[in-house]
Amino acid sequence: MADDRRQRELASLYATAKSLTALGELDEVLQSIVHHAHELIGTDFTYLSLVGENGRLSARASEGTISASFLAAGIPAGVGLGGKVLASRSPHWVRDYAAATIIDHDPAFDRLVATEGLVALLGVPLVIRGEAVGALFAADRSERSFRADEIALLTAFADHAAVALDNARLYEESRNALRELQIAYRRIEDHMAVMERAQALHEALTGVVLEGGSPGDVAQLLADQLGGNVSLLDRAGAAVAHRNSVSNPCAPTEADLTDLVRDARRTGRCTTAVDGAGIARSVASIQAGDSYLGALVWCRKATGDAPDGMDLRTVERATHILGLLILKEQAVAEASERLSGELLTELMLGSPGISPAQRARARARNIDVDRLDLVLVADCPAVPSRDLARHLHDIARDRAGLAGEHLGRATMILPGDDADRTAGEVHQRLRRTLGAPVLVAGQRTSGHDWARAFSLASRCAAVMRAVGHTDVGAATGRYALYAMVFDPDRVGELDRFLTDTIGALLDYDRRRGTNLVDTLSAYYANQTNVAATARALHVHVNTLLKRLDRVGAVLGPDWRQGNDLELRLGLRLHQLRTSTQS
């Protein structure tokens, strides 16, 4: 009989050991151990408990009739029979759990013991590498003693459970390590893909530079690679280029980018914001040292995820290439402007006439010198003449002309069949660009005498401003009435006319130190209203009347009665001549 029992025990231990090699789920292996132990020992119920992270001992597998509340209970690892087993790492048992004095009782667990009817209890430890991590229990609902062979058998099963637990933990750690390696590998693969994409884009951007591409070409490449829309802003914040992705476009919308541009310039990094329409905009500043050259704007439909950091770094790197291209374009433009201005000055100083060298230099710029028959002078108080000349360079390139700064004035020579229309077109273009009133005066040339045309146009510009025409483009012919003022070849005619009309007043003022000419000019400007004239001159009415009487004494008593048109015109031309000479 004993031999049969021994064989059953060995068979159960073998089955339990075999189940460990399957590397199944830990709970399944532990349940198998408890099942075999329960069958061999023959107690009312058997259960296995482990110490959790909270330090409490709780059941993980059970066999036999046992309530759910008992299995769900946890007991501190330092009390009860389990506490004694864990502390000593050796088997312990009691005939009557409730009456046992060798253990520290837990009131809550004792109440469950009474409800469950648990009386006799045997516990053996689960030890892994010298550490007790749990216990295997066999319980009866009546008093009894546990034999040595029962204790040894349960201990053997507990050892199997410890091995199973250790293997399962090692297996779980291996699986976790493998998962982490897989995740890390995927991250490395993703990072490598992003790096390869960024490298390819960088090579493409470099290729654009080497192939002589423009900033617009760089913007198009970025739009195609990143998706959405890429825009370039100049120093003033105006958009100079919009490029859309072919596969994933994003139509640009009006938006105030002032804050984003300011933050990008301050931080030197790409700054991103999302508007109410769900459009994300990333702005990077284009810098060359301390010089601000503009900004790069990447627009796309916003997603819930944060923008890809590598894409933002790509935008930032693209600004370095754009900075180089912009500086190159500026250098080329400045060289072109310098050469254009130098040739314009040479033609002005050498006119009339064109040297073979000048003709060859003009031909190299695709300019036909013989067709440069219109001189334009531009003036804008809000813009320095040097900056104004740069705007004229842009127009001159489009019209096969020359531009530069000559004698302190922004000047341009270009072909123009209709001087008045051409001056008006140049004025309109400058007005749109500058956003401020600008004056343009044009004079046609004769026999390549650009110097004389420049002088006439400059004088006409001064007259235009003097008569209150400060935002207009026109040829000198429109101001033919005042031709004598700005035409040096007719200065003799002007002198004779002024002598015949107001010469006596001018001579009187020079000899007496008076200001009868200014008084009479103010008198006519105020429609011969004595009171208004006195207020304008800040004098008493009686003083003004005395001055007018003196005018009558100089010009004759009937100066107010006759046709005073020539007198008025003489006074006006004298004012214009004075203003253009100042």
Side-chain angles (χ1 to χ4, degrees), residues 141-154:
R141 293 187 172 89
S142 60
E143 290 187 18
R144 62 164 289 186
S145 298
F146 290 93
R147 300 188 309 272
D149 61 331
E150 291 176 321
I151 296 173
L153 183 60
L154 194 62

Side-chain angles (χ1 to χ4, degrees), residues 484-485 488 490-503 506 573 577 581:
M484 289 186 297
V485 178
R490 303 181 65 184
V491 66
E493 297 179 35
L494 177 61
D495 289 340
R496 286 191 295 274
F497 182 77
L498 294 179
T499 298
D500 293 342
T501 53
I502 61 171
L506 290 170
L573 290 175
R577 178 189 236 186
Q581 292 175 345

Side-chain angles (χ1 to χ4, degrees), residues 239-250:
V240 295
H242 287 299
R243 297 293 186 272
N244 243 334
S245 166
V246 176
S247 60
N248 186 21
C250 177

Side-chain angles (χ1 to χ4, degrees), residues 302-322:
T303 62
D305 300 329
D308 191 291
M310 189 61 70
D311 287 342
L312 297 182
R313 300 294 85 77
T314 297
V315 173
E316 291 173 353
R317 283 194 292 270
T319 62
H320 302 160
I321 293 176
L322 285 169

Side-chain angles (χ1 to χ4, degrees), residues 22-35:
L23 287 178
E25 293 295 330
L26 175 63
D27 289 340
E28 295 178 1
V29 175
L30 295 181
Q31 185 61 45
S32 175
I33 292 172
V34 172
H35 171 72

Side-chain angles (χ1 to χ4, degrees), residues 276-554:
I279 300 298
R281 290 178 175 83
S282 297
V283 177
S285 174
I286 304 174
Q287 300 275 152
D290 295 332
S291 299
Y292 174 66
L293 303 178
L296 180 63
V297 184
W298 174 34
C299 299
R300 69 277 184 200
K301 295 177 182 177
T303 62
D305 300 329
D308 191 291
M310 189 61 70
D311 287 342
L312 297 182
R313 300 294 85 77
T314 297
V315 173
E316 291 173 353
R317 283 194 292 270
T319 62
H320 302 160
I321 293 176
L322 285 169
L324 292 175
L325 288 177
I326 292 173
L327 287 177
K328 185 189 78 171
E329 287 188 345
Q330 288 181 350
V332 171
E334 288 173 0
S336 176
E337 291 172 5
R338 184 176 63 254
L339 294 174
S340 176
E342 290 173 354
L343 183 55
L344 179 143
T345 299
E346 289 181 17
L347 292 176
M348 286 287 186
L349 296 178
S351 66
I354 308 170
S355 71
Q358 291 168 345
R359 191 180 295 279
R361 287 164 58 193
R363 191 183 307 113
R365 302 175 62 84
N366 296 319
I367 296 174
D368 184 355
V369 181
D370 294 317
R371 295 189 63 236
L372 299 180
D373 53 5
L374 178 62
V375 176
L376 295 176
V377 173
D379 176 54
C380 178
V383 180
S385 59
R386 177 171 297 181
D387 295 338
L388 192 56
R390 288 176 177 166
H391 293 294
L392 289 181
H393 275 292
D394 296 335
I395 301 174
R397 279 194 295 269
D398 297 340
R399 292 176 174 262
L402 297 171
E405 188 179 16
H406 182 61
L407 298 181
R409 287 186 174 275
T411 307
M412 182 164 58
I413 310 175
L414 72 165
D417 297 330
D418 188 331
D420 207 49
R421 178 174 56 81
T422 302
E425 292 171 352
V426 171
H427 166 262
Q428 290 176 6
R429 182 164 171 179
L430 287 176
R431 188 67 171 81
R432 287 193 302 269
T433 302
L434 300 175
V438 60
L439 187 150
V440 178
Q443 172 63 42
R444 290 186 62 81
T445 63
S446 177
H448 299 155
D449 195 353
W450 295 289
R452 182 177 184 277
F454 170 80
S455 176
L456 294 178
S458 298
R459 289 172 177 266
C460 181
V463 171
M464 292 163 69
R465 188 167 294 283
V467 298
H469 297 177
T470 58
D471 191 17
V472 67
T476 59
R478 190 186 298 186
Y479 294 82
L481 177 63
Y482 306 106
M484 289 186 297
V485 178
F486 55 82
D487 189 347
D489 290 344
R490 303 181 65 184
V491 66
E493 297 179 35
L494 177 61
D495 289 340
R496 286 191 295 274
F497 182 77
L498 294 179
T499 298
D500 293 342
T501 53
I502 61 171
L505 289 176
L506 290 170
D507 183 61
Y508 187 90
D509 282 344
R510 279 193 298 270
R511 287 186 292 103
R512 303 293 182 89
T514 56
N515 54 359
L516 297 183
V517 171
D518 291 341
T519 299
L520 193 55
S521 296
Y523 179 66
Y524 283 126
N526 287 277
Q527 287 78 45
T528 68
N529 186 301
V530 174
T533 304
R535 286 194 298 272
L537 295 174
H538 304 289
V539 298
H540 195 273
V541 172
N542 291 336
T543 302
L544 175 61
L545 292 175
K546 290 179 181 179
R547 291 183 184 179
L548 293 177
D549 288 341
R550 197 171 298 126
V551 168
V554 174

